[in-house]
Amino acid sequence: MSTLIAIRDAALTAGGEYSPAKEKAANRGIYNGRSPLLHRRVKQLLGGLKFKLLFCLSLLCLVVWFSSKIGPFMGWDPDLSSSISVPNRGSYTVLINTWKRNSLLKQSVAHYASCSGTDAIHVIWSESDPPSDQLRAHLKNIVLKKSQTAHKPNFRFDLNEEDNLNNRFKPISDLRTDAIFSVDDDVIVPCRTLDFSFTVWQSAPHTMVGFVPRMHWLDEEKNGMAHYKYGGWWSVWWMGTYSMVLTKAAFFHQKYLDLYTNKMPSSIHDYVMRERNCEDIAMSLLVANATDTPPIWVKGKIYEIGSSGISSLNGHSDKRNKCLNDFVSLYGTMPLVSTNVKAVEARNEWFW
Ligand SMILES: *[C@@H]1O[C@H](CO)[C@@H](O)[C@H](O)[C@H]1NC(C)=O
């Protein structure tokens, strides 16, 4: 009681006359927005909020990026779904074309033997000397050891004495699958990617399905003769269009082995043998002519384990241009069909 009176007295002496309203107004002053102290605190608070928002946003970006790298997210467990989607409904024959590179051959046979969809592995051998007994035994052993399934893949060499690129598309008499996966001895496609591309092929079994797209375009027309250009990876990347997939890593139906060897004009065989090139362009034209449809490019990382290969040699693109035009003039029309479709694995692409 006495202190209260004392404060009142003090207020009275300081402001002259005491008024409760005046006191209230003075007290409120501390809390009104115009006070510099409060202004600063609100600013600080908002600044912190902005920072937190930014932080959360970058965290989200990181999560999105990371999950796109590792796959499993939101319950899309790749192991679970691949065990469902790799069925006994079908399997494929791996056709490996090799030439004097036994160490690469051992690596790729070991790899493809480990893929659960592999029914058989055929190695196309094109040398005057047959593979040594040691190499045969070694590869047979690798296949048995690496295979993850109860049913062990068949392993066989398909022997040819002459070095002829047409050998890689010779018909195989006792095939157990319609699907052929044609691959170079230095190309590794991870099993999961391979299985996915196999399911793409199953939905379009008359089409070529592969990982290495190439394109063509009309360059010029001289006195009624169209001249085409062959476009490599950078052209495909730039245009987003392609009309071929190369047989260095592609699925196709086994019926095309017979068509290639027995129905394709023999002038194309001669050309491929003479030039030691363009068997893949010939196959692309053959399938396009038979189906009137484009191939399908599948998204997926593939690995080349050997040296850079022939496509890095000088004059390669001239040779490819010439092949394309010579073959097209044999067909009389351009059979290739261009497309922009790319098959991607949806469980890796949930962010759209
Ligand atoms: C292209 O396809 C047509 C129609 O299927 C066929 O008659 C023709 O022989 C094919 N051309 C070549 C060069 O294979």
Side-chain angles (χ1 to χ4, degrees):
M1 180 91 169
S2 59
T3 42
L4 188 69
I5 289 167
I7 290 171
R8 275 190 180 178
D9 283 349
L12 217 115
T13 44
E17 192 188 339
Y18 173 72
S19 134
K22 229 183 190 174
E23 194 188 44
K24 253 190 187 164
N27 284 345
R28 221 186 300 129
I30 305 170
Y31 299 103
N32 90 25
R34 258 164 284 154
S35 146
L37 176 74
L38 190 80
H39 202 74
R40 226 180 299 138
R41 284 186 66 180
V42 167
K43 250 186 158 171
Q44 263 172 6
L45 197 75
L46 276 177
L49 216 66
K50 226 193 267 169
F51 173 75
K52 270 185 197 149
L53 212 70
L54 213 69
F55 179 75
C56 287
L57 218 70
S58 22
L59 200 71
L60 190 73
C61 286
L62 204 70
V63 166
V64 165
W65 175 81
F66 192 64
S67 61
S68 75
K69 291 282 150 193
I70 59 169
F73 197 67
M74 299 168 70
W76 296 24
D77 180 355
D79 292 327
L80 187 71
S81 47
S82 73
S83 67
I84 293 166
S85 69
V86 181
N88 299 327
R89 272 181 317 175
S91 48
Y92 41 83
T93 300
V94 179
L95 211 55
I96 304 178
N97 194 52
T98 190
W99 200 68
K100 301 197 174 187
R101 301 198 284 191
N102 289 354
S103 70
L104 294 181
L105 181 63
K106 286 174 189 171
Q107 288 179 62
S108 54
V109 167
H111 170 71
Y112 291 109
S114 75
C115 299
S116 56
T118 302
D119 176 75
I121 298 177
H122 286 243
V123 173
I124 299 149
W125 187 265
S126 304
E127 290 179 46
S128 48
D129 295 329
S132 66
D133 290 343
Q134 199 190 357
L135 182 65
R136 281 172 186 276
H138 182 82
L139 291 177
K140 275 210 159 121
N141 208 6
I142 283 185
V143 169
L144 290 182
K145 231 173 44 202
K146 292 285 176 179
S147 170
Q148 313 281 316
T149 52
H151 158 78
K152 302 296 175 196
N154 266 0
F155 175 80
R156 211 172 73 191
F157 277 104
D158 292 335
L159 301 183
N160 304 276
E161 292 194 348
E162 51 168 11
D163 169 27
N164 178 347
L165 275 175
N166 294 307
N167 290 343
R168 77 181 296 173
F169 303 134
K170 276 191 179 170
I172 300 169
S173 54
D174 50 355
L175 274 180
R176 291 185 302 195
T177 69
D178 279 341
I180 301 280
F181 181 64
S182 160
V183 67
D184 282 358
D185 57 4
D186 63 344
V187 173
I188 297 289
V189 179
C191 294
R192 204 183 130 181
T193 310
L194 191 63
D195 287 338
F196 170 67
S197 59
F198 177 53
T199 62
V200 174
W201 178 84
Q202 283 178 307
S203 60
H206 304 291
T207 306
M208 282 177 81
V209 172
F211 297 96
V212 189
R214 294 292 181 261
M215 69 178 293
H216 77 280
W217 69 89
L218 187 63
D219 188 33
E220 53 183 347
E221 213 151 342
K222 270 193 219 147
N223 33 10
M225 276 287 284
H227 187 267
Y228 294 94
K229 277 248 164 114
Y230 174 88
W233 163 246
W234 289 112
S235 309
V236 173
W237 177 79
W238 183 252
M239 310 280 289
T241 296
Y242 64 98
S243 52
M244 296 168 257
V245 296
L246 300 188
T247 49
K248 69 191 280 181
F251 277 99
F252 55 78
H253 197 284
Q254 54 105 349
K255 70 181 177 182
Y256 293 123
L257 296 176
D258 176 56
L259 276 183
Y260 184 99
T261 304
N262 300 318
K263 304 284 176 350
M264 197 170 73
S266 57
S267 50
I268 297 185
H269 295 140
D270 297 342
Y271 192 108
V272 166
M273 185 167 149
R274 200 174 58 240
E275 298 291 325
R276 294 166 168 269
N277 203 330
C278 300
E279 86 287 5
D280 46 4
I281 295 181
M283 183 56 109
S284 286
L285 290 170
L286 176 100
V287 176
N289 180 63
T291 60
D292 277 332
T293 53
I296 300 175
W297 171 22
V298 176
K299 177 179 174 172
K301 260 211 166 72
I302 67 171
Y303 301 89
E304 300 199 40
I305 53 179
S307 54
S308 54
I310 120 164
S311 52
S312 58
L313 295 179
N314 275 341
H316 180 68
S317 73
D318 289 345
K319 256 191 168 174
R320 305 287 276 181
N321 278 329
K322 191 164 168 0
C323 284
L324 180 66
N325 282 289
D326 290 351
F327 292 170
V328 166
S329 66
L330 274 167
Y331 274 89
T333 57
M334 165 52 90
L336 294 175
V337 184
S338 296
T339 183
N340 312 303
V341 171
K342 183 174 180 180
V344 300
E345 205 171 353
R347 63 190 176 197
N348 288 347
E349 305 278 328
W350 60 270
F351 188 67
W352 39 47

